[in-house]
Amino acid sequence: MKAFNQMILGCLLAFGVITSAQAILTIEKLENYKGAKAYLVQTKALPMVDIEVSIDAGDRYDPVGKSGLADMTATLMNYGVQDDKRMLSEAQIADEIADLGASIGLSVGGERAILRIRSLSRKDLRDRAVQLASAMLAAPTYDPNIVRREKQRTITSLLEAETKPEYVLDRRFKKMVYGTYPLADSPSVKSVGAITPTDLVQFHKQFYRTDRMIVSIVGDVDQAEANEIIHALLKRIPQSGPFIAPLPEFQRSPVEPLAQREVQIPFDSQQAHIAMGMTAVARNNPDYFPLLVGNYVLGGGGFVSRLMNEVREKRGLAYSVSSYFAPGKDTGIFQAGLQTKNDQSSVALQVMSDTIAKFIADGPTTSELVAAKANLVNGYPLRIDNNRKLLDNVSSIAWNDLPLDTMEVWTKQVEAVTLDQVKSAFEKYLAMDRMKIVVLGAQNK
């Protein structure tokens, strides 16, 4: 059975789910259970079910001096649990997942922690996978010996990461852009070393509760089966918990002189790494689509973008350059970046800055706007062509409190964007005198 399940799952993972570009599947809102919201998309193409639990327990809740606590709380949940009848070790959990031919994974981002389950939809296999995931969510053991081992592993990874320019750049850029907001801090050797098993238990008790959870389900199950899954998944989890202090307001990047906005970091690397950006919009902002379409022209459209044309095609300053908006539920940033030769870093930065400034001032041309909208619309079917991508979309819609018909009207909202809307949105949310700049590389001699 184990080998058969793995073979079937391998085939399904390889081929995915074919979804008609002409028929967007409907998101059904299910009844709340113990304060948790729940959503379902039924698709019978394959005998699979994908489940996600989003928990409002992301990195932004890390206590001062203990960055990495939220991530460790989640990632250690499959390293030992107390099931209904027995204690399961990390080896037993891994064996059970393999025997089911399923996958259960945990990850943490800035805003939320995520547990994902992928299983064949056959009831006996599905129920066992859900039961195991439920134990992970409800009763991780956080064995001190395992915590000690994983802390050391994390510290070793951090020390290695500090030798990589991309990591050092990203950490400093986040610090500058997020300012006083909790996401400014990144895990360090010191902060991870300060985490104790008691911290993990307390963080789990405080944040892992159903009134902070959203369940999204995509696959070969109906509403009744979906409700069974939700009840089995959340039945052991408390509905509420200790008081959680509200997060500080996410502040816009301030206007500052260049000397306060730009940082040069000496680093022994063959190329200079440059990042530029500032705070931007959350996903539910009405100007999201003008910014999305506009950024496709500016730096999100690959070889057809303005930045690529100015930096690479005309001047050969970098192999690649791009820009993007990263919107969340409560936060959002804009970032542009490139890598170039150390002795070309000043020129490359100037060209990137000038290109962005010109776009903010003038916006796209009519032909650029038409091409950007056509590319986004034509590429949309690839965003929803299998269960996992559908789950990504459903989860994002649920987490960001978007209308349930978002997938159905997405292309219409792109097509409706006008030149004036793009220009107005970029002028409103971006400003060169607010842009943080990090240049990392060998200093010019």
Side-chain angles (χ1 to χ4, degrees):
M1 172 61 74
K2 177 177 176 180
F4 175 76
N5 286 340
Q6 289 177 326
M7 179 185 72
I8 292 294
L9 181 59
C11 293
L12 297 178
L13 290 172
F15 291 102
V17 179
I18 299 174
T19 301
S20 170
Q22 305 302 319
I24 305 298
L25 297 170
T26 301
I27 299 176
E28 304 171 54
K29 189 175 189 305
L30 305 176
E31 290 185 8
N32 289 7
Y33 176 62
K34 295 174 65 175
K37 298 177 181 178
Y39 302 87
L40 168 67
V41 170
Q42 298 186 47
T43 170
K44 305 293 184 179
L46 289 171
M48 298 290 301
V49 62
D50 286 87
I51 306 162
E52 177 182 297
V53 183
S54 289
I55 308 105
D56 190 1
D59 294 326
R60 57 184 176 170
Y61 292 106
D62 282 342
V64 174
K66 294 189 177 180
S67 294
L69 177 59
D71 184 77
M72 189 166 289
T73 300
T75 55
L76 266 62
M77 289 166 67
N78 61 350
Y79 282 67
V81 301
Q82 177 64 58
D83 202 351
D84 283 332
K85 301 176 182 178
R86 57 184 176 142
M87 188 85 72
L88 293 176
S89 69
E90 58 180 310
Q92 289 172 316
I93 292 171
D95 287 345
E96 176 76 357
I97 293 172
D99 187 56
L100 292 170
S103 66
I104 302 176
L106 294 129
S107 61
V108 177
E111 291 189 339
R112 55 178 165 158
I114 292 174
L115 178 140
R116 279 203 168 184
I117 310 164
R118 184 167 173 83
S119 170
L120 290 166
S121 56
R122 204 179 84 187
K123 181 173 171 52
D124 60 332
L125 300 175
R126 182 192 74 207
D127 287 352
R128 285 171 59 191
V130 168
Q131 180 182 0
L132 182 57
S134 176
M136 291 180 188
L137 281 173
T141 54
Y142 298 122
D143 178 86
N145 292 324
I146 293 178
V147 172
R148 190 181 305 111
R149 183 196 72 195
E150 292 306 308
K151 280 175 57 177
Q152 187 55 53
R153 184 178 295 176
T154 301
I155 287 170
T156 300
S157 297
L158 285 170
L159 291 172
E160 181 183 357
E162 288 173 359
T163 67
K164 299 177 181 178
E166 297 88 350
Y167 174 80
V168 177
L169 179 83
D170 182 66
R171 184 175 59 184
R172 188 57 179 271
F173 180 76
K174 282 176 57 180
K175 185 74 173 175
M176 292 180 67
V177 171
Y178 283 109
T180 59
Y181 194 76
L183 286 176
D185 295 325
S186 300
S188 66
V189 171
K190 183 178 180 180
S191 71
V192 171
I195 296 170
T196 67
T198 300
D199 293 326
L200 298 169
V201 171
Q202 290 178 341
F203 190 93
H204 180 270
K205 181 179 180 180
Q206 187 171 18
F207 290 96
Y208 282 76
R209 56 203 223 195
T210 56
D211 64 354
R212 301 179 69 82
M213 294 182 177
I214 300 173
V215 182
S216 303
I217 302 174
V218 173
D220 182 24
V221 292
D222 58 26
Q223 279 199 17
E225 292 169 316
N227 282 318
E228 284 181 14
I229 289 170
I230 294 162
H231 285 230
L233 192 56
L234 305 183
K235 65 181 180 181
R236 296 177 59 198
I237 302 170
Q239 182 167 343
S240 60
F243 170 76
I244 297 172
L247 292 163
E249 185 179 351
F250 185 58
Q251 299 286 343
R252 190 183 188 197
S253 297
V255 173
E256 293 175 319
L258 181 61
Q260 292 178 242
R261 293 185 289 106
E262 182 174 344
V263 173
Q264 302 271 344
I265 303 176
F267 198 90
D268 185 15
S269 61
Q270 294 184 341
Q271 288 196 312
H273 296 244
I274 302 174
M276 168 187 288
M278 61 175 288
T279 56
V281 301
R283 174 61 182 86
N284 63 0
N285 190 291
D287 288 318
Y288 169 77
F289 281 97
L291 293 171
L292 173 71
V293 174
N295 186 67
Y296 191 93
V297 177
L298 174 60
F303 285 100
V304 300
S305 72
R306 287 261 193 105
L307 283 171
M308 188 71 82
N309 184 53
E310 294 294 332
V311 174
R312 172 176 165 153
E313 300 302 323
K314 287 185 178 181
R315 297 172 177 86
L317 293 171
Y319 178 78
S320 178
V321 57
S322 63
S323 65
Y324 62 90
F325 287 91
K329 181 178 182 178
D330 304 309
T331 62
I333 65 169
F334 165 81
Q335 183 171 350
L338 58 81
Q339 298 175 27
T340 188
K341 294 179 180 178
N342 284 302
D343 59 3
Q344 296 179 336
S345 61
S346 297
V347 176
L349 174 59
Q350 189 63 54
V351 173
M352 184 166 69
S353 299
D354 290 346
T355 304
I356 294 172
K358 179 175 173 55
F359 192 84
I360 293 171
D362 301 336
T365 65
T366 300
S367 60
E368 285 176 326
L369 184 72
V370 170
K373 292 197 291 186
N375 279 311
L376 286 166
V377 169
N378 291 335
Y380 186 66
L382 296 177
R383 295 172 178 244
I384 54 172
D385 64 355
N386 63 44
N387 272 15
R388 285 184 172 175
K389 293 179 184 178
L390 277 171
L391 185 63
D392 287 340
N393 278 275
V394 175
S395 169
S396 175
I397 289 166
W399 177 255
N400 293 298
D401 294 324
L402 302 178
L404 295 187
D405 66 348
T406 293
M407 288 194 295
E408 298 172 44
V409 302
W410 194 92
T411 56
K412 293 179 181 177
Q413 289 178 296
V414 169
E415 289 168 341
V417 170
T418 67
L419 285 171
D420 287 343
Q421 287 174 338
V422 173
K423 187 172 184 297
S424 175
F426 270 77
E427 288 179 339
K428 182 177 182 180
Y429 297 107
L430 300 186
M432 298 309 294
D433 57 2
R434 297 177 187 270
M435 293 281 181
K436 309 292 185 179
I437 302 168
V438 181
V439 180
L440 180 143
Q443 293 181 315
N444 295 336
K445 298 180 179 180

